[in-house]
Amino acid sequence: AKESGRNRYQFFTQALEAEVVTNKRIADEILEGIERDEFVPWYQPQFDASTLVLSGVEALIRWQHPREGILTPDRFLRIAEELNVTATLDRLVLQKALADRMRWASAGLHVPKISVNVSAKRLQEKDLLASLKGLSIMPGQISFELVESIFLDESDDVVTANIDGIKKLGIDIEIDDFGTGHTSIVSLLKIKPKRLKIDRQLVAPVLGARTEQALVRSIIDIGRSLGIETVAEGVETMAHAEMLGILGCDLLQGYAFSRPLSSEGFFAFATDRGIR
Ligand code: C2E
Ligand code: CA
Ligand code: CA
Ligand code: CA
């Protein structure tokens, strides 16, 4: 028994060492990938729940890895955070999304709104507002998706000032993964976001019993009474879409409509459907 315990111990340390080596390799490759411009936004469309008209897209980062192909954030975002480069990646995604939007527009496709995910590190940057001022952004065209945990530290003056400044630049604030964190009504009233994004975990059970719908229902109702729009993410079937529409959710996003698509893929998706 003692022998096998030692073997197991060795097995775990070897596995751990292997993981450390792999993470170190990925970390090096992320830094090279930034140099070589391998990170790009993909786009997932969002639709008005009552008219099913395209209302915007969410930009989601992808890594065009030279050997492994297109990688999703679960493969690199945690290590990017440890490397302290998420703010850099967020900046890249915004720049590229604005460039893609211009390209689409000159080809006749007008996308009303692009939402980008903003990490805590980016929101804490002292020169965030300065870096945004140079971009020509029309009111409502860009949204920043912020996760609830960013707001927990209300004592952070830089974050508070940045949120105010972002809004003054005409950029909307959306609270991402709403319903999984701890945003209080009080902080909702203070932040006054344009939209709440209802987390996929809450959207999935919406076809269940009334008790399973309860959370989604109450988020939509809170949104309505505070004048905040609601977006359901992870809408996987049209039955879900229909129910969310009945409950009064404003915007829908999920595999029922489309997976995230490359810039060209999204352009083809939209033009195929006659979206202008
Ligand atoms: P998120 O912001 O909650 O994004 C939604 C995730 O759900 C995306 O995963 C999307 O592809 C996936 N999804 C969309 N519709 C469905 C559906 O119907 N069913 C299921 N099962 N999944 C669906 P993705 O693209 O892998 O992104 C994962 C997370 O990585 C994002 O979660 C976000 O937190 C983060 N992320 C993505 N892009 C960026 C970025 O540019 N900057 C930062 N800081 N974080 C990003
Ligand atoms: Ca998001
Ligand atoms: Ca989300
Ligand atoms: Ca999420």
PDB file of all heavy atoms in Angstrom, residues 58 117 145 176 197, ligand 2:
ATOM      1  N   GLU A  58     -21.814  40.089 -30.578  1.00  0.00           N
ATOM      2  CA  GLU A  58     -20.801  40.069 -29.514  1.00  0.00           C
ATOM      3  C   GLU A  58     -19.493  39.610 -30.139  1.00  0.00           C
ATOM      4  O   GLU A  58     -19.461  38.599 -30.855  1.00  0.00           O
ATOM      5  CB  GLU A  58     -21.178  39.119 -28.371  1.00  0.00           C
ATOM      6  CG  GLU A  58     -20.060  39.074 -27.304  1.00  0.00           C
ATOM      7  CD  GLU A  58     -20.359  38.197 -26.090  1.00  0.00           C
ATOM      8  OE1 GLU A  58     -21.420  37.543 -26.051  1.00  0.00           O
ATOM      9  OE2 GLU A  58     -19.502  38.172 -25.175  1.00  0.00           O
ATOM     10  N   ASN A 117     -16.001  42.188 -24.758  1.00  0.00           N
ATOM     11  CA  ASN A 117     -15.770  41.806 -23.366  1.00  0.00           C
ATOM     12  C   ASN A 117     -14.587  42.596 -22.823  1.00  0.00           C
ATOM     13  O   ASN A 117     -13.559  42.703 -23.485  1.00  0.00           O
ATOM     14  CB  ASN A 117     -15.495  40.309 -23.281  1.00  0.00           C
ATOM     15  CG  ASN A 117     -16.721  39.493 -23.639  1.00  0.00           C
ATOM     16  OD1 ASN A 117     -17.614  39.318 -22.826  1.00  0.00           O
ATOM     17  ND2 ASN A 117     -16.778  39.021 -24.878  1.00  0.00           N
ATOM     18  N   GLU A 145     -18.967  44.738 -22.221  1.00  0.00           N
ATOM     19  CA  GLU A 145     -19.524  43.731 -21.326  1.00  0.00           C
ATOM     20  C   GLU A 145     -18.578  43.554 -20.145  1.00  0.00           C
ATOM     21  O   GLU A 145     -17.409  43.209 -20.317  1.00  0.00           O
ATOM     22  CB  GLU A 145     -19.709  42.398 -22.068  1.00  0.00           C
ATOM     23  CG  GLU A 145     -20.694  42.496 -23.211  1.00  0.00           C
ATOM     24  CD  GLU A 145     -21.128  41.131 -23.754  1.00  0.00           C
ATOM     25  OE1 GLU A 145     -20.778  40.092 -23.163  1.00  0.00           O
ATOM     26  OE2 GLU A 145     -21.843  41.122 -24.777  1.00  0.00           O
ATOM     27  N   ASP A 176     -22.348  41.326 -17.730  1.00  0.00           N
ATOM     28  CA  ASP A 176     -22.251  39.984 -18.307  1.00  0.00           C
ATOM     29  C   ASP A 176     -22.506  38.924 -17.239  1.00  0.00           C
ATOM     30  O   ASP A 176     -22.280  39.168 -16.047  1.00  0.00           O
ATOM     31  CB  ASP A 176     -20.834  39.814 -18.876  1.00  0.00           C
ATOM     32  CG  ASP A 176     -20.784  38.785 -19.990  1.00  0.00           C
ATOM     33  OD1 ASP A 176     -21.791  38.107 -20.244  1.00  0.00           O
ATOM     34  OD2 ASP A 176     -19.709  38.662 -20.608  1.00  0.00           O
ATOM     35  N   LYS A 197     -26.957  40.878 -19.213  1.00  0.00           N
ATOM     36  CA  LYS A 197     -26.892  39.628 -19.969  1.00  0.00           C
ATOM     37  C   LYS A 197     -27.162  38.468 -19.026  1.00  0.00           C
ATOM     38  O   LYS A 197     -26.404  38.226 -18.083  1.00  0.00           O
ATOM     39  CB  LYS A 197     -25.521  39.466 -20.636  1.00  0.00           C
ATOM     40  CG  LYS A 197     -25.285  40.510 -21.722  1.00  0.00           C
ATOM     41  CD  LYS A 197     -24.169  40.103 -22.637  1.00  0.00           C
ATOM     42  CE  LYS A 197     -24.603  39.047 -23.630  1.00  0.00           C
ATOM     43  NZ  LYS A 197     -23.528  38.730 -24.593  1.00  0.00           N
TER      44      LYS A 197
HETATM   45 CA    CA B   2     -19.695  38.290 -22.826  1.00  0.00          CA
END
